[in-house]
Amino acid sequence: MNVGFIGLGIMGTPMANHLIDAGHTLFVYDVFKIPAEVTDKGATAVASSAEVAKNADIIILMVPDTPHVDEALFGKGGVAEGLTAGKIVVDMSSISPVETKKFAEKINALGCDYLDAPVSGGDVGAKAASLTIMVGGPDAAFEKVKPLFEKMGKNITLVGGNGDGQTTKVANQIIVALTIEAVSEALLFASKAGADPAKVRQALMGGFANSRILEVHGERIVTRNFGPGFRIELHQKDLNLALSSARALQIALPNTATAQELFNAVAARGGGKLDHSAMVQALELLANHDVA
Ligand code: NAD
C-alpha cells in the first residue's frame, strides 16, 4: 500500500519505521527534517504535504497541535491540494475534538474519508509498536486502515464518529496527569518521611496502587530522568483541551485544573520541554524537599 506520513518527530519516526518494515511504500514530509533512519529504510522524502497526498492512498499525520494539523491539511502546499476522491486522511496527533469535526467535514467535501486516531503509550509504545489507538470515523474507513494501525499498536478501538477518538484521548490525558500528580505526592511524602523512594515504589508496584505511571514515571522521578518522552508543553496543550471543553460543557474538573497549574509552574521555570514526570518539581518546590 502507498502510505503517506507527515510529521516525523519523537512519535512519527518509529511509527513510520514499523510501516516500512511491514512492506508498505512510504512517502514522508516534515517541515523540519526527515530523520535519516526513515529514508535509509527506503521511504521517499517529498517536498510538501500536497506531494504526500498525491502519492499515497492513506495519509497519516503525526504533528504537535491543532494549528499544525490545520496547516498541514489546508495550508499552502497542504494535503487538501493533493487529494483525489477515495483517499483516507488519518490524523494520529492529539488535537481538539471540536476542530477535528470541522477538519473531517472539509476532507469529506473533497470525496475522502477522515479518521481521528490519536494514540497513547508514549515513545516507548511507539518504538515497541504497542500503542493504544482511539479512533473516530466511519466503519468502512476504519476497516481499511486497521492493518496499518495493527503495525503500530495493540489496543485499537473504533470509539464512534469523527471527534470521538480525540475526546477519548483527552480523557486519557486527564487520567495520566492526575496519576503523575498522585505518584509525585506519594513519593515526595515517603522521601520526606525518611523512606527510600525507590524501595517505596518497588513495594507499591505489588499492590492496588500499581499503575503504568507508577512503574514508568515513578522510576523517572526516583532516578531524576526528565528528558522527554512526553513533553510538559504537549501535556499543557492536552489539558487546555480538557479545560476549555469542560467550560463549554459547563462541568467542573477541579483536579485537572490543579494538575495544569503544576505543569504551568514547571514550565514557568524553563521546564516546558522536560518529560511530564517533571511535574514533581513543582511539588518539590512547595515542599522545599526533593524526592531524590
Ligand atoms: P514532535 O514535536 O517530536 O514531532 C512533531 C513533528 O511534526 C516535528 O518533527 C515537526 O517538525 C513536525 N511538524 C510540525 N508542523 C508540521 C507541518 N505543518 N507539516 C509537517 N510537519 C510538521 O512531537 P511528538 O512527541 O512526536 O508528538 C506528536 C503528537 O503525538 C502530538 O500531538 C502529541 O501530543 C502526540 N503524542 C505524543 C506522545 C509522546 O510521548 N511524545 C504520546 C502520545 C501522543
Side-chain angles (χ1 to χ4, degrees):
M1 205 183 287
N2 283 359
V3 180
F5 212 110
I6 299 167
L8 287 300
I10 289 178
M11 298 295 285
T13 297
M15 291 163 73
N17 280 339
H18 291 313
L19 297 178
I20 300 168
D21 289 342
H24 298 291
T25 304
L26 255 77
F27 296 88
V28 297
Y29 174 69
D30 192 295
V31 279
F32 182 46
K33 67 171 169 33
I34 306 289
E37 59 179 292
V38 180
T39 40
D40 287 352
K41 269 184 181 283
T44 304
V46 296
S48 68
S49 294
E51 287 295 318
V52 172
K54 273 183 205 152
N55 283 290
D57 309 305
I58 294 175
I59 300 105
I60 298 174
L61 292 95
M62 196 54 171
V63 297
D65 200 355
T66 310
H68 306 96
V69 174
D70 196 4
E71 174 69 23
L73 290 179
F74 307 111
K76 195 170 170 315
V79 167
E81 288 179 15
L83 281 180
T84 46
K87 300 194 174 194
I88 305 175
V89 173
V90 186
D91 177 29
M92 303 191 76
S93 330
S94 305
I95 68 159
S96 160
V98 176
E99 295 304 312
T100 288
K101 287 183 191 160
K102 296 181 193 162
F103 295 161
E105 278 171 20
K106 283 163 81 174
I107 294 295
N108 293 160
L110 299 171
C112 298
D113 279 320
Y114 189 97
L115 296 174
D116 46 300
V119 307
S120 168
D123 57 323
V124 178
K127 286 181 193 137
S130 63
L131 293 168
T132 290
I133 307 178
M134 312 148 230
V135 190
D139 236 322
F142 173 71
E143 289 303 327
K144 280 189 201 149
V145 180
K146 206 170 168 194
L148 299 185
F149 289 149
E150 284 168 347
K151 295 296 170 202
M152 299 183 278
K154 289 219 156 63
N155 181 14
I156 301 152
T157 310
L158 178 63
V159 180
N162 279 133
D164 287 355
Q166 295 293 356
T167 296
T168 308
K169 172 68 185 182
V170 172
N172 179 81
Q173 292 305 81
I174 292 172
I175 295 174
V176 172
L178 269 55
T179 311
I180 290 176
E181 205 278 339
V183 167
S184 297
E185 280 196 23
L187 293 179
L188 186 58
F189 163 78
S191 165
K192 179 73 183 185
D196 177 350
K199 292 238 171 68
V200 170
R201 168 183 166 274
Q202 212 175 356
L204 293 181
M205 276 166 38
F208 251 177
N210 194 23
S211 65
R212 286 288 290 151
I213 306 283
L214 180 65
E215 289 170 21
V216 176
H217 300 74
E219 183 180 31
R220 279 176 168 275
I221 289 167
V222 168
T223 60
R224 316 309 282 176
N225 172 18
F226 294 130
F230 187 71
R231 299 191 300 276
I232 281 182
E233 61 191 14
L234 287 176
H235 214 145
Q236 287 177 293
K237 170 216 34 155
D238 294 334
L239 295 191
N240 274 338
L241 293 174
L243 293 168
S244 61
S245 303
R247 265 197 302 283
L249 295 167
Q250 297 190 306
I251 60 165
L253 299 179
N255 290 322
T256 303
T258 302
Q260 181 72 317
E261 291 304 333
L262 294 170
F263 280 141
N264 292 347
V266 179
R269 302 177 75 238
K273 297 205 184 301
L274 296 179
D275 185 76
H276 54 170
S277 53
M279 179 200 274
V280 73
Q281 293 179 357
L283 295 161
E284 289 173 338
L285 264 178
L286 293 175
N288 193 27
H289 177 82
D290 287 353
V291 170

